[in-house]
Amino acid sequence: MGADELTATVVGGGIAGLASAIALAQAGWRVTVLERAAAFGEIGAGLATTGNGMTALTALGLGEAIREVAYQTGTAGMQDQAGRWIMRMPDTRSDPTAVTTIWGLQRQRLHGVLRAAAEAADGVELVTGAEVVAVTASRPDQPGGGPVTVSWRNGTTGHAEKVALLVAADGVRSATRARLFPSVSERYSGSTSWRAIIPDTDSEDRLVQAWGPGTEFGSLRVSPTEIYWYGYFRHPEGAVFPDELAAARERFTDWAPWVRAMVDATPADRLMRHDVYHLPGGLPAYATGRVIFVGDAAHAMLPTAGQGAATALEDGVCVGRLIAAPVAAGGDMAAALAAFDRARRPRCRQIARTAIMSARFGCDLGGGWRQPVRNAIFRRLPAARLVKAGQSIVNWTAP
């Protein structure tokens, strides 16, 4: 494939889309990123990324920039809703190679670093207000066969572009996925989640999770002066609370003092809540024709494993290392797409299963009567067992 044919369109300007665009550009491709919203941005409060997420960011050349906006800390362990420790983790925050070391980030700061890198990259064009209306593959039944025509409109103006590769990074409700995999759609997890970042300098800076019946509360420092908290709880889909903050205070009224203090310290305008959706099992293939799927469009998972952003970043690196670079060097497109699917799909399925298991334990989905049994088991379980179980996820090596 000649240099003039190294063109790609990325649908979606979130974490997965921008990471993919950066990796493509680093391999010498010309990339257009189509974002449906009127401006590039990220919705959400905070997140924790583990070592694999940092490995991916470093592979993109962004490790130093991220460390300037992240807070390096660790996992403290789990408590019950009264604040009694169920399991404590060793303090590894000073060791960036440890499995339980994590980096707290405000989502907008992570997105800002990615966007700045995409804007600075040669050959990347960022387009907002772009609605994709059609995706047409010239030979959709042949692996890696034929360019893709992407039709989109910006306001009343229509556009069509033929590209060598389309990267679908348009989220859990991916319109691209709906066109190409109409039988696969997101599913409500059964839980919704409050989230907020508040001023704080005194609380525990490591990630602390508290487990109650059908509910999990967690907190994590994202800067020396800010803490992120979430309240993840079982609730019917689409619920509306007249006063979200009052509802949150009522939900956690009998929890540990530190939990109540964080909720009470939250201004109403800093609190958000979203129903949680996922894609059980993920897509049956991450590549079809010359369209590949990354991030939530391919494998939206529950937040309970803390791997949504990290796996999206991994996807972006693999777009560059497994597809863009080999094809630019004269390699076969079909082989590159197959290599991407082979590397990403089994790993992301494993992590998604881990997230489901974590939700079942943390939120006690089986019913309140199981909670004392669960807590007793985890109090006797050596922390090293959980650390070992997480090694296959965290100790990821970029291809």
Side-chain angles (χ1 to χ4, degrees):
M1 183 174 289
D4 59 335
E5 297 176 282
L6 300 178
T7 58
T9 294
V10 176
V11 182
I15 292 171
L18 291 177
S20 298
I22 293 164
L24 283 158
Q26 289 173 346
W29 287 55
R30 182 168 57 83
V31 189
T32 302
V33 181
L34 303 178
E35 169 56 46
R36 183 169 183 169
F40 280 90
E42 180 70 15
I43 298 173
L47 61 87
T49 190
T50 45
N52 53 312
M54 290 302 294
T55 297
L57 286 160
T58 300
L60 293 170
L62 303 176
E64 183 176 344
I66 287 296
R67 286 181 176 87
E68 290 180 358
V69 298
Y71 187 90
Q72 183 173 327
T73 181
T75 301
M78 294 80 77
Q79 299 180 357
D80 64 18
Q81 68 190 85
R84 297 180 292 255
W85 285 101
I86 298 171
M87 175 183 285
R88 282 192 165 185
M89 295 291 191
D91 190 345
T92 63
R93 77 186 84 186
S94 62
D95 179 5
T97 66
V99 171
T100 51
T101 296
I102 55 179
W103 287 261
L105 278 159
Q106 186 197 51
R107 293 189 74 94
Q108 290 86 347
R109 291 173 190 150
L110 169 59
H111 188 269
V113 169
L114 291 167
R115 180 183 173 184
E119 289 175 334
D122 290 337
V124 176
E125 180 184 8
L126 304 179
V127 183
T128 58
E131 180 186 1
V132 175
V133 295
V135 174
T136 307
S138 59
R139 287 176 285 171
D141 297 330
Q142 296 184 23
V148 181
T149 299
V150 185
S151 301
W152 53 280
R153 62 172 171 248
N154 190 296
T156 59
T157 305
H159 306 265
E161 184 177 15
K162 184 178 289 187
V163 293
L165 182 70
L166 176 67
V167 181
D170 47 347
V172 64
R173 292 185 173 88
S174 169
T176 312
R177 187 183 66 231
R179 291 185 180 96
L180 300 179
F181 291 94
S183 64
V184 180
S185 61
E186 70 278 3
R187 184 183 304 172
Y188 181 54
S189 66
S191 295
T192 189
S193 184
W194 282 302
R195 291 169 291 167
I197 292 178
I198 60 173
D200 181 284
T201 56
D202 299 324
S203 300
E204 165 69 64
D205 69 346
R206 291 190 292 164
L207 172 64
V208 181
Q209 297 168 290
W211 292 348
T215 307
E216 177 183 316
F217 188 96
S219 70
L220 169 71
R221 186 162 297 285
V222 295
S223 81
T225 59
E226 298 167 304
I227 206 150
Y228 160 62
W229 70 260
Y230 67 86
Y232 179 80
F233 62 102
R234 301 288 288 174
H235 204 275
E237 181 181 12
V240 176
F241 297 127
D243 186 328
E244 292 282 349
L245 185 55
R249 287 172 174 168
E250 182 179 359
R251 164 71 60 166
F252 296 107
T253 189
D254 59 351
W255 283 56
W258 69 269
V259 173
R260 298 198 308 270
M262 282 190 187
V263 178
D264 287 344
T266 302
D269 61 357
R270 293 204 178 192
L271 184 65
M272 63 181 67
R273 183 175 61 84
H274 294 96
D275 287 350
V276 178
Y277 294 85
H278 66 141
L279 207 64
L283 281 176
Y286 288 8
T288 177
R290 288 196 186 181
V291 180
I292 60 168
F293 290 82
V294 297
D296 284 352
H299 48 72
M301 56 188 70
L302 298 182
T304 45
Q307 286 294 314
T311 52
L313 292 164
E314 289 181 13
D315 287 346
V317 171
C318 289
V319 169
R321 303 269 178 109
L322 298 179
I323 302 174
V327 170
D332 179 66
M333 174 68 85
L337 295 171
F340 177 84
D341 183 72
R342 205 163 45 241
R344 298 308 300 153
R345 188 153 48 95
R347 173 169 170 79
C348 293
R349 281 184 170 178
Q350 175 205 352
I351 296 173
R353 287 193 295 267
T354 300
I356 290 172
M357 290 301 298
S358 298
R360 287 175 178 166
F361 281 117
C363 291
D364 192 24
L365 303 188
W369 66 272
R370 294 184 180 179
Q371 189 178 359
V373 176
R374 176 208 61 195
N375 292 358
I377 291 172
F378 272 80
R379 284 191 175 102
R380 289 168 174 77
L381 184 69
R385 290 276 296 276
L386 283 188
V387 171
K388 185 176 181 180
Q391 285 178 337
S392 64
I393 295 175
V394 174
N395 293 339
W396 177 77
T397 302

